[in-house]
Amino acid sequence: MEVINGIYISDGMMENADDIDRHIIEALRNPEINKQTAAKLLKGYIDMFLRNESDDYTVKRKTALYKLVDLKKNPYTRTNYLNARKALDESHEGLEYLKDALLEEVAKAIISKKTPRPLLLVGSPGSGKTSLSISLAKGLGKGYAVISLSGVSGTFELKGNDQGWKGASHGRIIETFIRTESLSPIIIFDELDKIGKDDKYGKAIDAFLDLLEDDRRVEFVDDFLTLPFDCSNAWLIYTANTLEGIPEPILDRLRIVEMKRYTLKEMERISERIIDKMNREISPRKLEFDEDAIKTMVLKRGVMNYSVRPLRDAIEKIFSSKASTFITNARLRTQKVTSSDIEGCLSLPNLQIPGSDGALTKPGMVNAIAVNLLSGYLAPLEVTQSESEYLSVYGSCDDVMKENAYMAFDLVSSFIKEKEERKIPPVNINYITSIPKSGDSAGLATALAILSECKKIPIDPKIAVTGAITLKGAVLPVGLIIAKVYGAMMQKAECIIIPEGNRKELEAVLPQIEGKVEIRYVSSFEEAVKIVFPGIKYKKPVQR
């Protein structure tokens, strides 16, 4: 008779044990995992597997446990910390606040000798959340796994299936420990906000409650193994594009780090890094980008959401466009890339519908600014007085945009009533371009067009407008302002009206656009009216 972790092992039991059984029992004598969990694991193992069963289900469970009980911890050390800092700096430009957040958790883990706190990195697609986490894991010398949660619905993908399922197996969480051969891997759960909501086979998101509670992750139970395993040494890093849709109980258990956008200077350095890498791939040939070329490329492709992906795609396109020249001229080793080359290679179709034909000189028309997948562009809209009793909205626009059209009409109605004590008739609003548009950024432009139609005063076609509005006439900031301003400027707008709330963001590129276009900031509809309609006069009501 032998006692291991409080469990009595009789000689009769051991007679039926094979080499795998003996190895598992011996490994649990001095376990790396939590001792209480090891005792429960051993008891469950004895109850289930020392019965001389040999079916596929039993063999697969024994094989998994055989690998799990041999895993060792890999504590965090000062050397890990320094190597991680170097790896992050070498792999990613900027993002210092995010690197500091990750390394703060590592430093705390070294001092406290505990596992770093679970993190949630939130930021736009392509901003570097996952790649930075992978660089961190490599720098720390830790095994890691990236588990994509996009579309994952049932808990069985994460926690395994029970034996009633054909081809049942353990889940991806346990698989990570086995594959990394470590008790302290870094598990990167990618796109938490895209996890499936179907609960037919149990909500996948519920699996995380077992991982994020200290007392429950020490005894994490995979539904295939049905035995407790200590997962408390794994560092959990989640990524998401938005917090929307993520349950509050999950958010409460995570340290949330919101990723800021790259600055333009950082994106210029990222461009240089990507160019250097691609030049090494085509060596001994080389493309030399001048400073203006890189700035132009960043403005045309890097300002949408500060994702690296559009920038990388743009650089690849330029390299591809220059490849033919290298092939046709075998002796050529270097090509210069200028700002003009960037403009030519990355130019977009002219999406402005009315042009120099004078169409925009009529009352009720204005150049709003929209954004497609790659750049900002002028999106004219027109307003006419309606023959019916109702306001009508035309064009390929979503419900939010339609709501803002109605809001713009109500705003102008209140404005005219205050100035002239009269009601204005219903109008037709047409967002001319067929390209689908969404959001509230055309609100200010719509209100100005309505006022233009009501007062029969045309708006200068060289003016472009963007900004959201409220019923009281406040002008609110909009997204992607740099892309919008740059796109409008490229389509020959001379004066661009934008919300005051976007001033700070736009200041980053003012040196590049200074002298090329006039930027006017407004906080209210009335401020915009004074710019667009200088010297406007209102009819005073007749006093009786």
Side-chain angles (χ1 to χ4, degrees):
M1 179 74 69
E2 184 180 5
V3 180
I4 300 177
N5 283 341
I7 306 298
Y8 289 93
I9 310 290
S10 68
D11 295 337
M13 286 181 179
M14 296 306 294
E15 288 177 3
N16 294 325
D18 58 20
D19 290 341
I20 293 179
D21 297 327
R22 291 190 178 92
H23 178 85
I24 292 173
I25 291 171
E26 183 61 29
L28 292 173
R29 183 188 299 274
N30 296 299
E32 286 278 296
I33 63 175
N34 178 276
K35 289 189 178 296
Q36 290 183 338
T37 304
K40 293 180 180 180
L41 175 58
L42 178 60
K43 182 178 184 304
Y45 185 79
I46 292 171
D47 291 343
M48 293 182 181
F49 296 131
L50 296 189
R51 298 172 184 170
N52 205 24
E53 297 176 350
S54 58
D55 58 274
D56 289 343
Y57 174 58
T58 301
V59 171
K60 288 173 73 173
R61 296 166 86 190
K62 288 175 71 171
T63 302
L65 287 170
Y66 180 85
K67 297 175 181 177
L68 289 171
V69 295
D70 270 346
L71 302 181
K72 304 296 182 184
K73 295 178 184 177
N74 185 5
Y76 293 86
T77 65
R78 182 175 181 275
T79 301
N80 292 150
Y81 178 92
L82 297 176
N83 289 341
R85 166 59 78 178
K86 182 179 179 182
L88 293 176
D89 288 340
E90 289 179 350
S91 63
H92 289 73
E93 192 67 48
L95 299 176
E96 295 304 322
Y97 64 95
L98 182 55
K99 295 175 184 177
D100 289 343
L102 294 169
L103 292 172
E104 283 169 7
E105 296 299 331
V106 175
K108 184 179 177 182
I110 295 171
I111 295 172
S112 64
K113 297 182 180 180
K114 293 182 178 180
T115 306
R117 181 182 176 185
L119 296 178
L120 172 57
L121 310 183
V122 183
S124 59
S127 55
K129 304 179 295 295
T130 306
S131 60
L132 193 74
S133 301
I134 292 173
S135 295
L136 173 71
K138 290 179 178 178
L140 290 170
K142 301 285 185 181
Y144 70 92
V146 179
I147 299 178
S148 175
L149 300 177
S150 181
V152 173
S153 295
T155 55
F156 64 88
E157 295 194 47
L158 299 173
K159 295 186 65 177
N161 331 74
D162 61 42
Q163 60 180 323
W165 288 72
K166 183 179 179 180
S169 182
H170 55 262
R172 297 171 73 179
I173 293 171
I174 288 296
E175 176 61 24
T176 297
F177 288 89
I178 295 174
R179 189 164 65 81
T180 60
E181 300 180 347
S182 172
L183 268 181
S184 49
I186 295 178
I187 308 179
I188 303 165
F189 293 103
D190 202 24
E191 299 187 305
L192 178 60
D193 54 320
K194 293 186 176 65
I195 196 166
K197 302 298 190 292
D198 185 4
D199 59 357
K200 183 177 180 181
Y201 303 108
K203 292 182 180 179
I205 199 122
D206 292 344
F208 297 132
L209 293 176
D210 292 336
L211 282 177
L212 296 173
E213 285 287 353
D214 290 341
D215 57 339
R216 289 161 67 177
R217 64 181 171 180
V218 171
E219 297 182 1
F220 179 82
V221 178
D222 181 275
D223 291 337
F224 176 77
L225 298 178
T226 67
L227 296 172
F229 184 73
D230 182 4
C231 293
S232 63
N233 297 292
W235 187 6
L236 312 177
I237 300 179
Y238 296 80
T239 75
N241 296 333
T242 175
L243 296 179
E244 186 176 349
I246 302 175
E248 196 68 32
I250 300 296
L251 295 177
D252 285 344
R253 290 164 172 80
L254 298 168
R255 176 185 174 184
I256 300 172
V257 182
E258 190 168 354
M259 295 187 67
K260 302 173 185 175
R261 294 178 173 184
Y262 289 102
T263 66
L264 289 181
K265 287 294 184 183
E266 287 172 346
M267 296 207 79
E268 289 172 10
R269 291 195 292 268
I270 290 170
S271 300
E272 292 169 356
R273 179 175 289 180
I274 296 172
I275 291 167
D276 288 342
K277 181 180 178 181
M278 292 188 182
N279 272 329
R280 288 195 297 270
E281 292 175 356
I282 66 169
S283 180
R285 301 172 182 86
K286 182 181 181 181
L287 292 187
E288 293 182 351
F289 289 67
D290 64 30
E291 185 177 343
D292 286 340
I294 291 177
K295 287 181 178 179
T296 301
M297 185 166 55
V298 168
L299 284 170
K300 290 185 76 69
R301 288 295 187 270
V303 297
M304 291 298 298
N305 57 13
Y306 289 81
S307 167
V308 175
R309 289 173 191 162
L311 201 56
R312 184 185 294 112
D313 292 343
I315 295 172
E316 288 178 348
K317 184 175 181 180
I318 301 223
F319 270 76
S320 297
S321 70
K322 297 291 184 181
S324 297
T325 307
F326 281 125
I327 297 300
T328 55
N329 189 346
R331 294 184 179 182
L332 185 64
R333 287 293 179 265
T334 302
Q335 291 189 66
K336 302 285 186 181
V337 180
T338 66
S339 180
S340 298
D341 293 325
I342 301 294
E343 293 285 358
C345 187
L346 302 183
S347 62
L348 296 170
N350 188 353
L351 299 174
Q352 182 180 5
I353 295 177
S356 57
D357 57 359
L360 277 181
T361 61
K362 298 177 182 178
M365 299 194 73
V366 67
N367 266 323
I369 311 175
V371 176
N372 69 354
L373 291 176
L374 295 173
S375 184
Y377 64 95
L378 296 180
L381 64 92
E382 62 182 0
V383 173
T384 61
Q385 289 192 10
S386 176
E387 297 296 329
S388 70
E389 299 179 359
Y390 306 100
L391 183 147
S392 299
V393 180
Y394 303 98
S396 181
C397 48
D398 67 357
D399 290 341
V400 174
M401 199 165 181
K402 290 178 181 177
E403 285 181 3
N404 275 266
Y406 282 89
M407 189 183 299
F409 178 77
D410 289 342
L411 171 60
V412 177
S413 295
S414 300
F415 183 81
I416 292 295
K417 186 175 182 179
E418 178 186 344
K419 299 292 185 181
E420 301 185 0
E421 294 186 9
R422 68 180 177 96
K423 292 183 177 180
I424 62 173
V427 296
N428 302 312
I429 302 172
N430 180 25
Y431 297 99
I432 300 173
T433 54
S434 60
I435 298 171
K437 296 175 288 295
S438 61
D440 58 2
S441 62
L444 178 59
T446 305
L448 291 170
I450 294 172
L451 182 61
S452 170
E453 175 67 12
C454 292
K455 298 293 292 180
K456 299 301 180 185
I457 304 174
I459 297 174
D460 188 338
K462 295 177 182 178
I463 292 177
V465 183
T466 186
I469 55 170
T470 70
L471 285 172
K472 293 289 187 180
V475 176
L476 305 179
V478 295
L480 305 173
I481 191 63
I482 298 175
K484 289 176 179 176
V485 168
Y486 188 74
M489 183 181 74
M490 290 297 99
Q491 293 191 294
K492 311 305 181 184
E494 295 182 3
C495 175
I496 303 176
I497 298 174
I498 71 169
E500 177 67 38
N502 287 118
R503 180 191 290 267
K504 186 175 181 180
E505 185 179 359
L506 194 61
E507 284 177 350
V509 296
L510 284 181
Q512 282 85 5
I513 64 176
E514 198 168 8
K516 299 178 181 179
V517 66
E518 180 186 11
I519 305 295
R520 301 293 296 271
Y521 301 96
V522 297
S523 299
S524 67
F525 173 65
E526 194 153 359
E527 288 179 19
V529 169
K530 291 178 180 177
I531 296 171
V532 175
F533 306 104
I536 187 172
K537 296 180 180 179
Y538 304 99
K539 296 179 181 178
K540 294 183 179 180
V542 178
Q543 299 293 331
R544 296 184 182 276

